[in-house]
Amino acid sequence: MSSGDAFDPNCPTRLVLDRIGDKWSVLVVLCLQDGPRRFTELRNMIGGVTPKVLTQTLRAMEHDGLLTREVFAEVPPRVEYTLTPLGASLRTPIQAIADWAEKNVEEVMFARASRDA
């Protein structure tokens, strides 16, 4: 398969960019970078995400091959989510973006407030 052209509106590369550019997917990758997590752990770590949206995000990421969902035959059932090698390959670029955001949040918020004033 050849590389795509993200500027072509019909290119499937845009689907990939939509997935990895989604704020919830980014936060899920950051949460899973140190190993498997259960749904409740993810929801508590992320904060502000509804269970429905988190479920949709996890299903989409699983569908795209970015994470796996493992169900353990226990009572009550235990489910863990883990990054696949493909999903783990996102850790470095996503961590770099998160680091940039944390470093520059004050400047961005100042610019936003100045513009809105």
Side-chain angles (χ1 to χ4, degrees):
M1 181 177 266
S2 64
S3 61
D5 177 3
F7 294 102
D8 177 354
N10 298 313
C11 182
T13 301
R14 288 200 178 184
L15 299 173
V16 176
L17 289 172
D18 286 346
R19 171 65 48 233
I20 63 174
D22 172 70
K23 71 177 175 180
W24 303 119
S25 296
V26 167
L27 293 171
V28 167
V29 169
L30 291 172
C31 288
L32 293 177
Q33 67 183 345
D34 294 326
R37 302 259 185 216
R38 295 177 72 173
F39 182 88
T40 304
E41 289 178 287
L42 291 170
R43 191 183 71 218
N44 290 340
M45 289 176 76
I46 293 172
V49 64
T50 65
K52 178 182 176 181
V53 170
L54 181 56
T55 297
Q56 291 170 340
T57 300
L58 293 169
R59 284 183 183 158
M61 291 178 72
E62 181 181 16
H63 185 259
D64 290 345
L66 301 176
L67 59 79
T68 59
R69 178 182 184 267
E70 186 174 3
V71 180
F72 295 88
E74 300 175 358
V75 177
R78 178 170 55 103
V79 178
E80 287 186 348
Y81 297 90
T82 307
L83 291 175
T84 63
L86 181 62
S89 71
L90 286 169
R91 292 187 300 202
T92 299
I94 286 178
Q95 187 61 59
I97 291 168
D99 291 344
W100 182 92
E102 289 174 356
K103 179 181 175 189
N104 293 289
V105 65
E106 288 182 23
E107 190 172 340
V108 170
M109 297 308 291
F110 178 77
R112 184 178 288 188
S114 297
R115 185 93 164 139
D116 292 344

